[in-house]
Amino acid sequence: MEKLFLCLFGFMLTQHCFMASLAMRITNSSTDESALLALKASLNLNPDHVLSINWSSSLSFCNWIGVTCGIHQRRVRVLNLSDMGLSGTIPPQLGNLSFLVELYLHNNSFHGHLPWDLLRLHRLKRLNLSYNGFSGEIPNGIGRLSMLQHLSFRNNNFSGSIPPSISNLSVLQTLDWNFNLITRSIPPEIGQLRRLKILRIAHNKLSGAIPPTISNISSLELLSLPGNSLSGMYLQTKDMLKKKKVKQMYGLL
Ligand SMILES: *[C@@H]1O[C@H](CO)[C@@H](O)[C@H](O)[C@H]1NC(C)=O
Ligand SMILES: *[C@@H]1O[C@H](CO)[C@@H](O)[C@H](O)[C@H]1NC(C)=O
Ligand SMILES: *[C@@H]1O[C@H](CO)[C@@H](O)[C@H](O)[C@H]1NC(C)=O
Ligand SMILES: *[C@@H]1O[C@H](CO)[C@@H](O)[C@H](O)[C@H]1NC(C)=O
Ligand SMILES: *[C@@H]1O[C@H](CO)[C@@H](O)[C@H](O)[C@H]1NC(C)=O
Ligand SMILES: *[C@@H]1O[C@H](CO)[C@@H](O)[C@H](O)[C@H]1NC(C)=O
Ligand SMILES: *[C@@H]1O[C@H](CO)[C@@H](O)[C@H](O)[C@H]1NC(C)=O
Ligand SMILES: *[C@@H]1O[C@H](CO)[C@@H](O)[C@H](O)[C@H]1NC(C)=O
Ligand SMILES: *[C@@H]1O[C@H](CO)[C@@H](O)[C@H](O)[C@H]1NC(C)=O
């Protein structure tokens, strides 16, 4: 930012400044490798675990198990470490995988908070962290992941409220936050998710009224809300949703 500011005033230095601010932002394949190694270091791995053996620098990281790189660039596009019996935390360096499109860590024993840096993964389309022990608040900046299509945090210990910035997730089709500790009311902004087909926020600690804006989601096919302390508008919402042809509804009786 400072450099950019200077650039606006330093005409003679324009090109130099441009190069300098670019260099600060640029990540490359060696950044990807160090991000993966930072993740490896934050796991409690047994020496005989497949990752301990396979993720070694004798092999290009694009050939590491669970890692898929792009065809033209040696940058990580998919990281799939699901069902691997992993325990540990997500290091902030994972946010340096700037070409990442799909991240699957489901069914492991990850714990701790999601680092803010993950919100830098602006190309992310699929994020599945379900069946882990993650805790802490769902980051308010989640709306920055504006390419997200499928998002599952199911079966964790996420707390805090549903951030209104989710309204920014304009291509989101699946939101599954079942079985967490999410509190407060459902923000009316949820009605702006116009591509949403599946909305599961059952078995949390939600309270307040179901916002009528939910019936604005014309693409909605499944809505699951039981196991909360939601109140009011049940029948009204149900009638509206029926008119919108929502096929499956749970927790609205
Ligand atoms: C990759 O980026 C790092 C840190 O920004 C830099 O030190 C390194 O020289 C770069 N490598 C290549 C091959 O560009
Ligand atoms: C690592 O896994 C990849 C993909 O499964 C495999 O091709 C490779 O042979 C493995 N390498 C080692 C050293 O285990
Ligand atoms: C992730 O990897 C596992 C094991 O290799 C595989 O069974 C699963 O289909 C993959 N998931 C996705 C979404 O690619
Ligand atoms: C979860 O991962 C474990 C390996 O850690 C595997 O044995 C189990 O089948 C997986 N569960 C599901 C539902 O895929
Ligand atoms: C990677 O990310 C961390 C934390 O977000 C940052 O401090 C570091 O400078 C980044 N490394 C590179 C090589 O870009
Ligand atoms: C959530 O936290 C409780 C209490 O610490 C614990 O018993 C439970 O196993 C945790 N759930 C998950 C999915 O990690
Ligand atoms: C919404 O997404 C855009 C990118 O599409 C991003 O620039 C902006 O910061 C996001 N806003 C919020 C509130 O997350
Ligand atoms: C996330 O992973 C679980 C398995 O742990 C699977 O049942 C679910 O369909 C996945 N959800 C998404 C949105 O990919
Ligand atoms: C969304 O829903 C609210 C409440 O039902 C309604 O007042 C509003 O007009 C709707 N907006 C659109 C764009 O349909």
Side-chain angles (χ1 to χ4, degrees):
M1 266 312 194
E2 261 173 38
K3 282 212 169 72
L4 200 65
F5 185 74
L6 279 174
C7 290
L8 292 173
F9 292 91
F11 181 75
M12 296 300 285
L13 291 172
T14 299
Q15 204 171 357
H16 168 79
C17 283
F18 178 65
M19 300 302 281
S21 57
L22 210 61
M24 290 194 309
R25 284 153 164 264
I26 279 179
T27 56
N28 56 36
S29 63
S30 75
T31 322
D32 279 15
E33 179 165 18
S34 43
L36 294 172
L37 289 174
L39 174 61
K40 185 184 179 186
S42 74
L43 301 171
N44 313 309
L45 285 178
N46 290 327
D48 58 350
H49 192 282
V50 62
L51 275 197
S52 307
I53 302 157
N54 194 281
W55 282 28
S56 97
S57 44
S58 66
L59 205 67
S60 157
F61 68 88
C62 288
N63 296 323
W64 290 354
I65 194 162
V67 177
T68 308
C69 289
I71 297 165
H72 303 295
Q73 275 165 311
R74 289 169 32 80
R75 304 298 304 266
V76 182
R77 282 180 55 85
V78 181
L79 183 58
N80 176 4
L81 303 180
S82 61
D83 311 325
M84 282 196 175
L86 300 171
S87 76
T89 55
I90 298 187
Q93 287 90 335
L94 214 63
N96 289 341
L97 296 177
S98 42
F99 283 74
L100 200 63
V101 178
E102 302 175 34
L103 176 58
Y104 305 108
L105 300 178
H106 51 269
N107 185 29
N108 284 292
S109 300
F110 282 93
H111 61 271
H113 296 202
L114 293 189
W116 177 259
D117 304 71
L118 274 196
L119 302 177
R120 293 195 278 117
L121 299 173
H122 63 279
R123 287 188 172 87
L124 211 54
K125 291 184 178 167
R126 292 171 176 262
L127 176 58
N128 196 338
L129 304 181
S130 61
Y131 301 96
N132 278 288
F134 287 112
S135 59
E137 299 200 352
I138 290 175
N140 184 37
I142 194 142
R144 287 163 62 183
L145 301 177
S146 58
M147 306 283 274
L148 271 183
Q149 295 172 359
H150 301 281
L151 172 60
S152 180
F153 288 164
R154 190 187 180 106
N155 289 70
N156 280 283
N157 271 333
F158 282 113
S159 58
S161 50
I162 301 176
S165 83
I166 59 160
S167 63
N168 212 31
L169 306 182
S170 55
V171 291
L172 194 67
Q173 293 172 28
T174 313
L175 189 153
D176 186 350
W177 289 354
N178 274 5
F179 296 99
N180 278 282
L181 305 169
I182 301 164
T183 54
R184 305 188 60 178
S185 53
I186 303 172
E189 285 84 351
I190 203 138
Q192 290 170 37
L193 301 177
R194 297 302 164 83
R195 303 273 179 88
L196 200 61
K197 290 182 180 160
I198 297 173
L199 176 56
R200 297 181 190 269
I201 33 179
H203 302 284
N204 278 282
K205 293 171 180 291
L206 294 166
S207 57
I210 300 165
T213 53
I214 276 192
S215 58
N216 286 350
I217 313 175
S218 53
S219 51
L220 201 63
E221 291 170 6
L222 185 153
L223 174 64
S224 180
L225 300 171
N228 287 293
S229 308
L230 294 164
S231 65
M233 300 283 193
Y234 276 40
L235 289 176
Q236 204 185 330
T237 308
K238 196 173 176 179
D239 279 353
M240 280 192 288
L241 291 174
K242 258 186 187 160
K243 278 185 206 134
K244 301 272 183 181
K245 301 189 179 68
V246 177
K247 293 182 201 89
Q248 292 169 278
M249 283 184 262
Y250 307 102
L252 279 172
L253 283 173

